[in-house]
Amino acid sequence: MNISRYRGSAVAFAATLVMTFFAAGSLMAQSGGTITGTVLDQAAKTITGASITVKSESGAASGTATTGAEGKFSVSGLAAGSYTVETSAPGFALNTRRGVPVTAGGTQDVSITLNVDAISQSVTVQETIVLAAETAPMGNDLDATSAKTIISSAVIQNFMAPVADFAEVIQQAPGAFSLNPNGIGLGQGKSFFRGFADGKYSMTFDGIPFEDTNDPTHHSWASFPSQWISSTEFDRSPGVPSTFGPSNFGGSINLRSPELQADPDIRGTFTYASFNTKLYSLDFESGQLGKEKKDSILFNINAMTSDGYQTFNKQQRDAGYAKFQHRFSSRTTLSLYSGVVDIWNNTPNTTNPTRAQVAAFGNNYLLDSTPTCVAISLNCPAANGSPDPYYYGYNTYHVQTDFEYLAFASDLGDGWKFDTKAYTTRYWNKQFYQSGSTVNLSTASPSGVDKLNGYRHAGDTAILTKESKWGVFRTGMWYDWAYTDRYQIPSNIITQVDTPFGNFHEHFVTQTFHPFAEYEWHATPRLVVTAGIKAGDYKMSLNQYQDVKTVLCLGGTLTTFPATAGIWAGAKNCVGGAAFVSHSGNYNTWLPTLTARYRVWQQWSVYGEFAEGNTIPPSSVFDVAGGNVLTPPKPTVAKTYQAGSVLKKNRWTLDLDAYYIHFQNAYANYLDPATQEPVYYATAPSNTKGFEAESHVAIGWGLSVYGNVSFGSAKYKADPHFAMGGRWVANAPNNIEGLNLLWQHRNFDMGLTFKRVGRYYNDNGTVNQAIQINPFELVNLFANYTVKNQSYLRGSKIQLAINNLANAHNVVGITPATAGTVTTPFVASPNDLLNLLPGRSISLTITGGYAPRR
């Protein structure tokens, strides 16, 4: 019924004027529209006491409301039109929903999700957030447009050993597994998922990409100890165009630093663990400073020493970071971050023992403590006092890293927002090691190697956002400039005197420019469609110096130093030729994305995604005689198709996704007989497809169960023209399962985690699906007691962590001594290198200090 109809009725019933007056008031109220909804946090838990302000975009009157016990609200009596709904709650960032349509007499239902504010303002809300994280330790969120798993801070703090690194953080996520032969956090772990190895996925820290410069692999263990990681978003897709990274080929692992809190916090921690591992750590947080409480600072310093699981693979690490934030206003913040890590260890260039060494010395053998061969053994065929090639003192590995950024974020008003991060990061790995199983001290071909892999990044990420009643437009760019210095020089392991000409030496600069534009269209209150495109532009400019292995003498003559040359007698050298050769490579790719998300109801959403990611060729494509590469290979591209569902109920969650990925593989080459230039051609593409699911059930009394499962295949396209056609991609299990049994009650946190990795294959040097790796299981146990609000020592904690509870020693990787062929099956050799699960490790951690009430 509308007002005009009512007025007609009023004329017909003039005798009942008083009744008509009251009826008119009633009908006038009914003619107004209503906006109702539910306010949730990121774990789909309802928020009580959230403030709702509804404003007409045409300037008409507005209304307000407050959510009740079930997080629901209602604002009625609204004139037809378009409205902006602003939602706020203590401890959460302001949420603005524009363009909510209201019709006369109609009801528009919206579901609003609030994100945690950068600086939490309320103790009460912090308790809610912690409880939500404990209820759902891992999982996707209701606003997802791709298959991803958010790993909460509660998991990192309570169900990981303090010495762990990022590889252990993602270990329990669907479809992923990590390997580290020296023990968790005690070396460079490698992670795999969906058949993608390191270098086929990006990694970021607080949204800033970081990667090696000769190929996009990562050394995150040397930049970000687990104490510096608050949470992690593991996105198994190329993401949307605003997802920055050099190799979103298979996905991205996004690490987050701890958020600044409202109250002071200071804690000291000591950990003693297996393999004589000791970790000392100090955490300090100032809380909000000053009368206006606009400034906050936190920092961590830590030191770790360990003998490592493998014999004499020792490590010493000193590290520290600080984070500062200043709030100019509720809309504008400035953040500063700086982290520095210094690592010394004795890791050799080959981090795995041979099959014969394992048989002779045990599963944890790598190096020994005898400088010279004084007795005949497997490593010393003669007792003649010659240098022992497996002496740990012949291997030094010194890594220095730093990571800094300045972040500025501002809500400019009228729907405009700006976010930028200017950054610099450095990785400097200076290594000296014995190469091979035989020591050679001659100057002609010494067996020691002096090696450097060093680079410095500087760049910026910038995003400009405009929110309107129709949706959200984002544009911006990622720019990165990186300088690299790399060399590898044969050297005498006793005197550490290098030969005059190395295996290679290069300086190069890589510039990355990723401009993007995307539009998030709010087609209806329930349907959101995002479309966009990103340009992946790279320019690599190289100077490669004369050497005896890669570019060679650059027009000169490769000769040998004469016998009269003293210590250089017999060594290779160049006579004449250019000192270096300069060249460059340019790579350009357009990467489109299309996603859609539909909110079926407030706690259930479904999504679909198409996205492309790419990876450029490594700098090693220029490592040919004369550096003569006029036409380098093209970037490889992955096309990802995914669909999924996210469901959050009071007692259980269920996240599902199915995917199909078609990706190109690295190019091979042959030398053009006329020009002697390498000609690159595509190798067999691969197809990856599968299904993933993760679920969490809150049983009650603090008891809950989290589990995930993945089934898939990653195979090269069946094609008789390719040797690998129809075979499995390396390190791609056909199934992976995970199960976590958790009990979190009052002061106690206990967890039993189980991970099973199904059968997969290693490369035999020529083709994959040649060396079968049998399934293996890992079981970990965690138990914690935390002093909470009832004591001045709240925040103090005792932690027990047992990794690899069953002390399994499965072979999880094999590098064959002799490369096979398509027709020659793999035959085990005593000289095969074996990657083994590290044995059981136990750590006990004691934390003492003062923490705010939570």
Side-chain angles (χ1 to χ4, degrees):
M1 180 178 291
N2 59 34
I3 293 177
S4 62
R5 291 180 60 187
Y6 170 71
R7 286 174 177 169
S9 300
V11 173
F13 295 94
T16 57
L17 182 59
V18 175
M19 293 178 62
T20 300
F21 176 79
F22 288 107
S26 175
L27 291 173
M28 286 286 285
Q30 291 180 27
S31 68
T34 301
I35 295 179
T36 65
T38 305
V39 180
L40 309 169
D41 64 20
Q42 292 163 291
K45 188 179 182 67
T46 58
I47 298 176
T48 302
S51 299
I52 313 296
T53 301
V54 177
K55 299 178 181 179
S56 171
E57 295 178 359
S58 64
S62 61
T64 61
T66 301
T67 57
E70 296 182 353
K72 297 183 179 298
F73 70 90
S74 177
V75 179
S76 58
L78 301 173
S82 182
Y83 286 82
T84 295
V85 180
E86 292 184 350
T87 308
S88 63
F92 293 92
L94 178 69
N95 179 289
T96 302
R97 178 77 61 85
R98 301 177 187 275
V100 178
V102 172
T103 58
T107 298
Q108 186 67 259
D109 185 75
V110 295
S111 182
I112 296 170
T113 301
L114 296 184
N115 296 320
V116 182
D117 200 358
I119 297 181
S120 197
Q121 301 289 339
S122 169
V123 173
T124 302
V125 172
Q126 273 299 311
E127 292 175 354
T128 303
I129 295 302
V130 171
L131 289 173
E134 290 174 345
T135 303
M138 286 180 278
N140 211 334
D141 61 48
L142 289 163
D143 291 330
T145 57
S146 63
K148 65 181 179 181
T149 297
I150 301 171
I151 301 160
S152 72
S153 59
V155 171
I156 298 172
Q157 293 171 6
N158 297 319
F159 305 116
M160 281 177 48
V163 298
D165 60 12
F166 96 96
E168 197 68 15
V169 171
I170 70 166
Q171 177 78 289
Q172 290 299 321
F177 71 101
S178 301
L179 304 174
N180 191 338
N182 200 37
I184 60 169
L186 302 179
Q188 183 158 300
K190 290 295 183 181
S191 299
F192 307 86
F193 63 92
R194 293 184 175 180
F196 295 114
D198 193 8
K200 299 300 184 184
Y201 53 82
S202 292
M203 292 188 69
T204 69
F205 186 79
D206 282 351
I208 298 170
F210 63 94
E211 76 283 346
D212 209 339
T213 49
N214 56 307
D215 63 43
T217 53
H218 306 93
H219 307 286
S220 56
W221 72 285
S223 296
F224 307 108
S226 64
Q227 298 94 329
W228 300 6
I229 303 172
S230 173
S231 62
T232 298
E233 181 185 276
F234 177 25
D235 190 348
R236 299 180 294 280
S237 83
V240 292
S242 57
T243 304
F244 298 128
S247 53
N248 297 2
F249 192 82
S252 56
I253 299 173
N254 305 301
L255 312 177
R256 308 294 186 199
S257 67
E259 295 288 355
L260 293 152
Q261 303 298 323
D263 300 308
D265 190 339
I266 182 168
R267 307 184 207 187
T269 299
F270 172 70
T271 298
Y272 185 79
S274 298
F275 327 133
N276 195 29
T277 301
K278 301 172 185 177
L279 173 66
Y280 305 86
S281 182
L282 174 66
D283 292 274
F284 171 82
E285 185 154 3
S286 67
Q288 296 178 357
L289 300 173
K291 292 182 179 180
E292 298 183 355
K293 299 185 180 298
K294 289 188 173 183
D295 297 316
S296 299
I297 188 169
L298 65 83
F299 67 79
N300 166 271
I301 54 175
N302 65 79
M304 184 179 73
T305 59
S306 178
D307 291 342
Y309 170 69
Q310 296 172 313
T311 55
F312 298 101
N313 190 0
K314 300 180 180 181
Q315 181 183 142
Q316 176 181 328
R317 185 189 74 200
D318 299 300
Y321 87 92
K323 186 176 182 180
F324 168 80
Q325 187 175 86
H326 173 73
R327 284 195 165 195
F328 295 99
S329 68
S330 60
R331 293 175 174 267
T332 303
T333 60
L334 175 71
S335 301
L336 300 173
Y337 177 94
S338 178
V340 179
V341 180
D342 187 86
I343 297 175
W344 287 91
N345 63 17
N346 299 105
T347 304
N349 195 49
T350 301
T351 58
N352 297 315
T354 66
R355 196 184 298 272
Q357 289 169 330
V358 170
F361 306 121
N363 291 306
N364 68 330
Y365 180 80
L366 185 65
L367 298 169
D368 58 45
S369 58
T370 55
T372 58
C373 292
V374 294
I376 296 176
S377 69
L378 177 65
N379 295 337
C380 292
N384 55 7
S386 61
D388 181 347
Y390 295 97
Y391 173 53
Y392 76 91
Y394 296 148
N395 301 277
T396 58
Y397 190 107
H398 186 201
V399 179
Q400 295 174 305
T401 68
D402 63 74
F403 192 100
E404 293 84 24
Y405 69 75
L406 183 153
F408 177 80
S410 182
D411 185 336
L412 305 176
D414 196 28
W416 289 97
K417 295 180 181 179
F418 181 64
D419 190 330
T420 183
K421 293 185 177 77
Y423 67 88
T424 180
T425 179
R426 174 178 180 257
Y427 176 83
W428 209 257
N429 178 358
K430 188 68 169 66
Q431 191 173 359
F432 190 92
Y433 59 88
Q434 154 67 21
S435 179
S437 59
T438 304
V439 173
N440 188 347
L441 299 178
S442 74
T443 54
S445 56
S447 58
V449 176
D450 183 1
K451 177 181 176 181
L452 172 68
N453 179 22
Y455 51 82
R456 163 72 71 182
H457 287 274
D460 185 81
T461 65
I463 300 177
L464 180 65
T465 303
K466 168 61 176 175
E467 298 180 0
S468 70
K469 64 180 180 179
W470 303 112
V472 182
F473 173 71
R474 300 182 187 91
T475 187
M477 63 88 190
W478 168 44
Y479 174 76
D480 183 88
W481 177 93
Y483 170 78
T484 302
D485 186 3
R486 299 177 67 239
Y487 61 72
Q488 191 179 101
I489 307 171
S491 184
N492 185 303
I493 66 167
I494 303 298
T495 64
Q496 296 195 2
V497 175
D498 295 346
T499 58
F501 286 88
N503 295 331
F504 68 83
H505 186 191
E506 60 188 9
H507 295 164
F508 60 90
V509 171
T510 305
Q511 295 188 74
T512 302
F513 184 58
H514 281 198
F516 78 92
E518 68 184 35
Y519 189 70
E520 180 184 302
W521 176 40
H522 296 176
T524 72
R526 294 177 181 270
L527 176 63
V528 176
V529 178
T530 301
I533 194 164
K534 174 169 58 183
D537 294 328
Y538 304 84
K539 182 176 181 179
M540 187 177 290
S541 302
L542 300 93
N543 287 343
Q544 291 181 284
Y545 294 81
Q546 282 186 340
D547 60 48
V548 298
K549 187 176 181 180
T550 55
V551 297
L552 303 179
C553 290
L554 303 178
T557 303
L558 184 65
T559 63
T560 302
F561 278 105
T564 57
I567 63 171
W568 304 124
K572 300 293 184 182
N573 73 303
C574 291
V575 176
F580 60 86
V581 59
S582 299
H583 42 219
S584 63
N586 294 287
Y587 307 101
N588 312 97
T589 310
W590 289 99
L591 303 170
T593 299
L594 178 64
T595 72
R597 180 185 72 249
Y598 184 75
R599 187 70 67 93
V600 181
W601 38 276
Q602 65 182 28
Q603 293 176 314
W604 181 26
S605 64
V606 295
Y607 62 85
E609 177 193 36
F610 165 74
E612 291 189 6
N614 77 327
T615 301
I616 67 170
S619 64
S620 59
V621 301
F622 297 98
D623 292 346
V624 297
N628 188 28
V629 182
L630 300 179
T631 307
K634 298 178 181 179
T636 53
V637 176
K639 299 179 185 292
T640 299
Y641 306 83
Q642 296 191 111
S645 169
V646 180
L647 178 65
K648 306 289 186 184
K649 296 292 290 180
N650 290 337
R651 289 287 181 176
W652 57 281
T653 68
L654 179 62
D655 304 332
L656 308 171
D657 69 83
Y659 61 90
Y660 171 80
I661 307 170
H662 178 78
F663 59 93
Q664 299 169 329
N665 286 289
Y667 288 76
N669 71 81
Y670 63 89
L671 285 179
D672 185 311
T675 65
Q676 291 300 298
E677 177 194 348
V679 177
Y680 287 91
Y681 61 92
T683 58
S686 302
N687 295 316
T688 295
K689 54 188 176 182
F691 168 83
E692 298 165 335
E694 58 183 327
S695 180
H696 174 257
V697 179
I699 299 171
W701 304 283
L703 187 65
S704 65
V705 178
Y706 167 85
N708 61 58
V709 63
S710 63
F711 299 97
S713 70
K715 293 184 177 181
Y716 293 94
K717 181 180 178 181
D719 191 317
H721 296 93
F722 299 111
M724 296 182 180
R727 296 176 179 267
W728 280 78
V729 173
N731 297 303
N734 55 1
N735 63 287
I736 300 178
E737 297 82 35
L739 184 66
N740 296 1
L741 178 62
L742 309 175
W743 182 62
Q744 298 171 277
H745 182 67
R746 295 182 179 176
N747 301 71
F748 291 94
D749 301 282
M750 301 187 68
L752 183 69
T753 69
F754 169 82
K755 185 84 173 186
R756 180 186 182 276
V757 180
R759 184 196 69 241
Y760 58 92
Y761 296 91
N762 280 180
D763 192 346
N764 71 353
T766 304
V767 296
N768 291 322
Q769 201 171 342
I771 305 174
Q772 179 173 308
I773 306 298
N774 294 323
F776 63 91
E777 296 85 28
L778 277 173
V779 180
N780 302 327
L781 176 65
F782 306 95
N784 313 308
Y785 178 85
T786 305
V787 180
K788 296 189 176 179
N789 291 341
Q790 66 271 25
S791 171
Y792 287 107
L793 295 176
R794 55 183 178 268
S796 298
K797 189 174 185 178
I798 298 177
Q799 298 175 268
L800 175 68
I802 305 177
N803 288 83
N804 192 3
L805 185 65
N807 200 29
H809 296 285
N810 299 62
V811 175
V812 294
I814 299 175
T815 303
T818 304
T821 66
V822 177
T823 57
T824 304
F826 167 71
V827 178
S829 164
N831 294 320
D832 295 336
L833 297 176
L834 301 184
N835 189 347
L836 303 171
L837 286 180
R840 180 190 300 118
S841 63
I842 303 172
S843 69
L844 179 65
T845 301
I846 299 176
T847 298
Y850 170 83
R853 296 181 185 274
R854 302 293 193 203

